[in-house]
Amino acid sequence: MIRYFFRRLGYGLVVLVLVTVFVFVAMTFIPSDAVDLMLADTGATQEQADRMRAELGLDQPVHEQLAGFFGGVLQGDFGRSFYTDEPVMDLFLARIPVTLQLGGLALAIGTIIGVGLGILAATRRGTKTDNAIRGIAVAGLSVPNYVVGLLLLSALGVWFAWSPPFVYAGPTEDFASWLQQMALPAIALGTSAVAGTTRMARSSLLENLGSQFIRTVRAKGASERLVLFKHALRNSVIAVLTLLGVNLGTILGGTVILEQMFSLPGTGQLIYESVLDRDYPVVIACTIFYAGLFVFTMIIIDLLYALIDPRIRAARESGQ
């Protein structure tokens, strides 16, 4: 298992490097750069613009800029913001708690409600309840999370004349205000996670409930509650765990728009603003974090497979 962990960790590092290279190169294809935006309507000459590009290193070929960036990363230096001249890591660390709070709430909503609805649908297969849950799940997968956010804002504003506070307060400062501000974006982000988890939990449970070992357990006189929660659900957790990583990626991507929509000062809003400002170091550093968090989560999920299912652990230890 240790060998397997380090092998997966090596693959993850390769993925991070490839993601960084892709984002770095993609940013250079944007028609204008940070200097064009900073000097717009200032009457600056071309000579002044060229001098500023040289100071920021934007006059170098892409491969030299990329090599310099990786050299700094190896020393723990992700560069400085083009606009504020602050270290990128300081900007990132100041914003990341908000994104982790929002993402954690959305993932919890998606997993807990999704598994609950999946169990309910599986145990009432073919009934109106099952059909309704499946219809809701399809709708949840079909509607983008930012549209869900807009619908929630519009509905609450029109029907109840209420909107969440748009000045962020941390949970330790004002918990009630924090919960009000986090609730709608977390629900919007968690909608697709609820839908996907519901469908996965339902199909996996139905497959396990119809398997031979479940029929054997029932023949021994076990109650339906014991059959469902001790035997069928445990074997269905692997499928749900697999989807957990996918849900995390969807949620992280959704924070870029929803944090801006709900005025949450997290890394999603930071990425949104930095892309508009062509602040390359900030965009790339945040992208590395998002990709790293996703890769690390998938590695942890792979390790959890072996803890849940001894057959997977035996196969990995034997090198299969």
Side-chain angles (χ1 to χ4, degrees), residues 11 23 30 103 131 155 160:
Y11 293 154
V23 174
I30 299 177
N131 293 333
F160 301 101

Side-chain angles (χ1 to χ4, degrees), residues 82-104:
F82 289 163
Y83 280 80
T84 64
D85 199 37
E86 295 179 66
V88 170
M89 190 53 63
D90 291 349
L91 292 172
F92 173 77
L93 292 176
R95 301 277 195 124
I96 189 58
V98 179
T99 298
L100 291 178
Q101 293 163 17
L102 178 59

